[in-house]
Amino acid sequence: SAADRAKKAAGEKVAAMVEPGMRLGLGTGSTAAWAIRALGRRVREEGLRVVGVPTSYAAEQLARAEGIPLVTLADVEALDLAFDGADEVSPELNLIKGRGAAHTREKVVASLARRFVVLVDESKLVDRLGTRWPVPIEVLPMAAEPVLRQLRRMGAEPVLRMGKCKDGPVVTDQGFWVIDARFPGGIDDPHALAVTLSTMPGVLDHGLFLGLATDVLVGQADGQVRHIRR
Ligand code: DER
């Protein structure tokens, strides 16, 4: 599809930006997967010497299959470049992430990277955060109901994310649940909301990525890529 071609273009562009010796953050989702596959080709065919920190079991499994050497955050104290997808990108390069329920590890990795390159197609660009996607919130199962109630009191429309190939709630790589909170009309003050969500008892992390992206690669269906810098 056009979206797949656009995502592939963005993924291959960031893989081409990787330099020997880089310590990388490996994102989760269908767009980051294109980057991991293109990077794997470079490792196998050029002997490109890199190490990567995966942001989920999914990214780890794909990176292993592609032959990318993996390390943990105990092995490296910083990352040169992290790449990942996003659900929404605002004009300020703030993001909503977490459609894949991987946002908690993704944010740890993104926060440690000198460059955080976000890989999208045009459909992810929004004028205002929250207009198209809900904010995912990773929550302790025993705290899910009070968090749902608190979000409703704030005027949000939260739902517990239920499995498609699993009965009951989606369970994250950490064994937590995910609440998807829609904010009708979008989010007025993302920074204030981020603080509110982060300080809610039982919340592990949320999908607002504010001030983290340094670059956004917007893939097009014709293979071109628009590079937006912070
Ligand atoms: O779950 C995530 O954070 C993913 O990166 C998501 O935001 C983008 O997934 P996609 O590249 O499959 O659209």
Side-chain angles (χ1 to χ4, degrees):
S1 74
D4 287 341
R5 288 197 304 275
K7 291 180 170 186
K8 182 170 187 284
E12 293 181 346
K13 173 84 173 184
V14 75
M17 288 161 62
V18 172
E19 294 163 14
M22 275 192 170
R23 302 158 299 175
L24 302 169
L26 307 177
T28 299
S30 63
T31 314
W34 285 114
I36 291 175
R37 283 191 285 270
L39 184 65
R41 276 198 302 279
R42 291 194 61 194
V43 167
R44 294 191 306 275
E45 293 164 9
E46 296 173 31
L48 179 68
R49 197 176 43 80
V50 291
V51 293
V53 177
T55 55
S56 64
Y57 293 146
E60 178 181 341
Q61 289 175 334
L62 179 57
R64 282 191 194 288
E66 290 291 335
I68 298 167
L70 298 180
V71 292
T72 72
L73 295 176
D75 305 309
V76 291
E77 63 180 37
L79 300 173
D80 303 293
L81 184 150
F83 57 78
D84 208 338
D87 302 312
E88 288 187 1
V89 180
S90 78
E92 302 74 24
L93 301 197
N94 287 327
L95 316 174
I96 288 180
K97 284 178 56 50
R99 174 208 53 76
H103 58 278
T104 295
R105 295 191 191 186
E106 289 173 335
K107 196 181 287 184
V108 171
V109 165
S111 71
L112 293 167
R114 191 164 52 79
R115 285 181 78 186
F116 178 41
V117 182
V118 179
L119 312 170
V120 295
D121 66 325
E122 293 285 351
S123 74
K124 310 299 187 68
L125 305 181
V126 296
D127 294 332
R128 183 175 155 79
L129 278 188
T131 44
R132 214 168 287 155
W133 282 81
V135 177
I137 301 160
E138 183 162 0
V139 65
L140 208 55
M142 63 83 82
E145 283 307 325
V147 170
L148 286 163
R149 288 193 292 267
Q150 173 70 20
L151 288 164
R152 290 185 196 109
R153 283 196 292 273
M154 289 165 51
E157 294 168 2
V159 293
L160 183 62
R161 189 181 298 185
M162 303 305 280
K164 288 195 172 62
C165 302
K166 170 194 178 292
D167 290 355
V170 163
V171 176
T172 71
D173 293 355
Q174 291 66 250
F176 281 42
W177 291 353
V178 179
I179 289 171
D180 288 309
R182 284 202 175 285
F183 290 85
I187 298 165
D188 291 325
D189 183 344
H191 287 273
L193 178 60
V195 171
T196 302
L197 296 179
S198 294
T199 54
M200 264 186 207
V203 169
L204 183 60
D205 207 342
H206 54 77
L208 293 171
F209 283 51
L210 309 181
L212 285 173
T214 58
D215 305 69
V216 178
L217 297 181
V218 187
Q220 318 288 325
D222 65 359
Q224 301 299 310
V225 179
R226 193 152 54 90
H227 187 165
I228 305 171
R229 289 176 179 77
R230 174 179 290 286

mmCIF file of all heavy atoms in Angstrom, residues 7 28-32 84-87 96-103 106 119 124, ligand 1:
data_model
loop_
_atom_site.group_PDB
_atom_site.id
_atom_site.type_symbol
_atom_site.label_atom_id
_atom_site.label_comp_id
_atom_site.label_asym_id
_atom_site.label_seq_id
_atom_site.Cartn_x
_atom_site.Cartn_y
_atom_site.Cartn_z
ATOM 1 N N LYS A 7 6.285 4.213 4.751
ATOM 2 C CA LYS A 7 6.947 3.788 5.994
ATOM 3 C C LYS A 7 8.303 3.137 5.672
ATOM 4 O O LYS A 7 9.302 3.378 6.337
ATOM 5 C CB LYS A 7 6.050 2.804 6.751
ATOM 6 C CG LYS A 7 4.793 3.437 7.340
ATOM 7 C CD LYS A 7 3.963 2.383 8.072
ATOM 8 C CE LYS A 7 2.835 3.021 8.870
ATOM 9 N NZ LYS A 7 2.096 2.031 9.695
ATOM 10 N N THR A 28 9.841 0.083 18.016
ATOM 11 C CA THR A 28 8.809 -0.932 17.873
ATOM 12 C C THR A 28 7.711 -0.434 16.932
ATOM 13 O O THR A 28 7.432 0.760 16.900
ATOM 14 C CB THR A 28 8.205 -1.250 19.258
ATOM 15 O OG1 THR A 28 9.251 -1.765 20.108
ATOM 16 C CG2 THR A 28 7.082 -2.277 19.173
ATOM 17 N N GLY A 29 7.115 -1.350 16.196
ATOM 18 C CA GLY A 29 6.026 -0.992 15.282
ATOM 19 C C GLY A 29 6.412 -1.278 13.837
ATOM 20 O O GLY A 29 7.565 -1.616 13.533
ATOM 21 N N SER A 30 5.451 -1.093 12.945
ATOM 22 C CA SER A 30 5.656 -1.491 11.544
ATOM 23 C C SER A 30 6.648 -0.584 10.827
ATOM 24 O O SER A 30 7.388 -1.049 9.949
ATOM 25 C CB SER A 30 4.309 -1.487 10.815
ATOM 26 O OG SER A 30 3.768 -0.165 10.805
ATOM 27 N N THR A 31 6.739 0.675 11.212
ATOM 28 C CA THR A 31 7.675 1.574 10.515
ATOM 29 C C THR A 31 9.095 1.317 10.987
ATOM 30 O O THR A 31 10.012 1.161 10.178
ATOM 31 C CB THR A 31 7.284 3.046 10.746
ATOM 32 O OG1 THR A 31 5.882 3.202 10.552
ATOM 33 C CG2 THR A 31 8.038 3.960 9.800
ATOM 34 N N ALA A 32 9.276 1.201 12.304
ATOM 35 C CA ALA A 32 10.606 0.897 12.849
ATOM 36 C C ALA A 32 11.086 -0.468 12.342
ATOM 37 O O ALA A 32 12.285 -0.682 12.153
ATOM 38 C CB ALA A 32 10.565 0.913 14.371
ATOM 39 N N ASP A 84 12.308 5.300 15.938
ATOM 40 C CA ASP A 84 11.042 4.707 16.340
ATOM 41 C C ASP A 84 9.915 5.348 15.555
ATOM 42 O O ASP A 84 10.097 6.408 14.959
ATOM 43 C CB ASP A 84 10.819 4.945 17.848
ATOM 44 C CG ASP A 84 9.953 3.863 18.477
ATOM 45 O OD1 ASP A 84 9.208 3.197 17.725
ATOM 46 O OD2 ASP A 84 10.027 3.689 19.705
ATOM 47 N N GLY A 85 8.775 4.682 15.554
ATOM 48 C CA GLY A 85 7.610 5.261 14.882
ATOM 49 C C GLY A 85 6.854 6.170 15.832
ATOM 50 O O GLY A 85 7.322 6.469 16.935
ATOM 51 N N ALA A 86 5.691 6.623 15.401
ATOM 52 C CA ALA A 86 4.831 7.445 16.257
ATOM 53 C C ALA A 86 3.405 7.339 15.738
ATOM 54 O O ALA A 86 3.169 6.999 14.573
ATOM 55 C CB ALA A 86 5.279 8.907 16.254
ATOM 56 N N ASP A 87 2.457 7.645 16.615
ATOM 57 C CA ASP A 87 1.048 7.666 16.199
ATOM 58 C C ASP A 87 0.627 9.067 15.766
ATOM 59 O O ASP A 87 -0.144 9.229 14.831
ATOM 60 C CB ASP A 87 0.155 7.186 17.346
ATOM 61 C CG ASP A 87 0.551 5.798 17.780
ATOM 62 O OD1 ASP A 87 0.724 4.929 16.905
ATOM 63 O OD2 ASP A 87 0.763 5.576 18.986
ATOM 64 N N ILE A 96 2.522 11.452 20.180
ATOM 65 C CA ILE A 96 1.807 10.404 20.898
ATOM 66 C C ILE A 96 2.348 9.086 20.343
ATOM 67 O O ILE A 96 2.448 8.910 19.122
ATOM 68 C CB ILE A 96 0.279 10.470 20.709
ATOM 69 C CG1 ILE A 96 -0.293 11.670 21.464
ATOM 70 C CG2 ILE A 96 -0.372 9.176 21.203
ATOM 71 C CD1 ILE A 96 -1.811 11.810 21.340
ATOM 72 N N LYS A 97 2.739 8.200 21.248
ATOM 73 C CA LYS A 97 3.219 6.870 20.863
ATOM 74 C C LYS A 97 2.531 5.837 21.740
ATOM 75 O O LYS A 97 1.904 6.189 22.742
ATOM 76 C CB LYS A 97 4.745 6.766 21.071
ATOM 77 C CG LYS A 97 5.527 7.478 19.984
ATOM 78 C CD LYS A 97 7.036 7.412 20.220
ATOM 79 C CE LYS A 97 7.554 5.999 20.363
ATOM 80 N NZ LYS A 97 7.133 5.076 19.318
ATOM 81 N N GLY A 98 2.657 4.549 21.346
ATOM 82 C CA GLY A 98 2.123 3.514 22.208
ATOM 83 C C GLY A 98 1.053 2.645 21.606
ATOM 84 O O GLY A 98 0.510 1.778 22.275
ATOM 85 N N ARG A 99 0.786 2.828 20.291
ATOM 86 C CA ARG A 99 -0.214 1.930 19.678
ATOM 87 C C ARG A 99 0.205 0.474 19.875
ATOM 88 O O ARG A 99 -0.629 -0.397 20.027
ATOM 89 C CB ARG A 99 -0.337 2.230 18.183
ATOM 90 C CG ARG A 99 -1.239 1.272 17.413
ATOM 91 C CD ARG A 99 -0.842 1.159 15.968
ATOM 92 N NE ARG A 99 0.571 0.831 15.793
ATOM 93 C CZ ARG A 99 1.117 -0.374 15.986
ATOM 94 N NH1 ARG A 99 0.364 -1.383 16.413
ATOM 95 N NH2 ARG A 99 2.410 -0.590 15.798
ATOM 96 N N GLY A 100 1.527 0.247 19.906
ATOM 97 C CA GLY A 100 2.035 -1.116 20.069
ATOM 98 C C GLY A 100 2.279 -1.510 21.515
ATOM 99 O O GLY A 100 2.892 -2.530 21.785
ATOM 100 N N ALA A 101 1.861 -0.655 22.441
ATOM 101 C CA ALA A 101 1.962 -0.925 23.897
ATOM 102 C C ALA A 101 3.413 -1.065 24.353
ATOM 103 O O ALA A 101 3.696 -1.736 25.340
ATOM 104 C CB ALA A 101 1.166 -2.170 24.265
ATOM 105 N N ALA A 102 4.325 -0.400 23.622
ATOM 106 C CA ALA A 102 5.761 -0.497 23.950
ATOM 107 C C ALA A 102 6.320 0.834 24.448
ATOM 108 O O ALA A 102 7.522 0.976 24.637
ATOM 109 C CB ALA A 102 6.535 -0.922 22.701
ATOM 110 N N HIS A 103 5.452 1.818 24.686
ATOM 111 C CA HIS A 103 5.919 3.192 24.917
ATOM 112 C C HIS A 103 6.792 3.345 26.161
ATOM 113 O O HIS A 103 7.663 4.215 26.206
ATOM 114 C CB HIS A 103 4.731 4.154 24.977
ATOM 115 C CG HIS A 103 3.733 3.827 26.030
ATOM 116 N ND1 HIS A 103 2.756 2.873 25.858
ATOM 117 C CD2 HIS A 103 3.579 4.292 27.289
ATOM 118 C CE1 HIS A 103 2.034 2.784 26.947
ATOM 119 N NE2 HIS A 103 2.513 3.635 27.835
ATOM 120 N N GLU A 106 10.230 2.331 25.156
ATOM 121 C CA GLU A 106 10.609 3.246 24.077
ATOM 122 C C GLU A 106 11.043 4.592 24.633
ATOM 123 O O GLU A 106 11.995 5.192 24.169
ATOM 124 C CB GLU A 106 9.434 3.439 23.114
ATOM 125 C CG GLU A 106 9.118 2.239 22.251
ATOM 126 C CD GLU A 106 7.860 2.423 21.436
ATOM 127 O OE1 GLU A 106 6.985 3.216 21.839
ATOM 128 O OE2 GLU A 106 7.740 1.773 20.376
ATOM 129 N N LEU A 119 10.043 8.072 12.731
ATOM 130 C CA LEU A 119 9.769 7.581 11.379
ATOM 131 C C LEU A 119 8.252 7.504 11.167
ATOM 132 O O LEU A 119 7.572 6.773 11.868
ATOM 133 C CB LEU A 119 10.370 6.183 11.192
ATOM 134 C CG LEU A 119 11.812 6.015 11.652
ATOM 135 C CD1 LEU A 119 12.201 4.535 11.629
ATOM 136 C CD2 LEU A 119 12.753 6.846 10.799
ATOM 137 N N LYS A 124 0.531 10.609 10.061
ATOM 138 C CA LYS A 124 0.786 10.778 11.500
ATOM 139 C C LYS A 124 0.894 12.254 11.880
ATOM 140 O O LYS A 124 0.926 12.588 13.067
ATOM 141 C CB LYS A 124 2.071 10.052 11.894
ATOM 142 C CG LYS A 124 2.189 8.605 11.419
ATOM 143 C CD LYS A 124 1.080 7.732 12.002
ATOM 144 C CE LYS A 124 1.264 6.262 11.692
ATOM 145 N NZ LYS A 124 2.401 5.624 12.334
HETATM 146 O O1 DER B 1 3.719 1.623 19.633
HETATM 147 C C1 DER B 1 4.515 2.474 19.214
HETATM 148 O O2 DER B 1 5.010 3.360 19.942
HETATM 149 C C2 DER B 1 4.798 2.496 17.736
HETATM 150 O O3 DER B 1 6.050 3.077 17.487
HETATM 151 C C3 DER B 1 3.688 3.304 17.087
HETATM 152 O O4 DER B 1 3.647 4.552 17.700
HETATM 153 C C4 DER B 1 3.855 3.466 15.591
HETATM 154 O O5 DER B 1 3.569 2.224 15.011
HETATM 155 P P1 DER B 1 3.549 2.085 13.417
HETATM 156 O O6 DER B 1 4.926 2.467 12.945
HETATM 157 O O7 DER B 1 3.242 0.622 13.202
HETATM 158 O O8 DER B 1 2.483 3.002 12.882
#
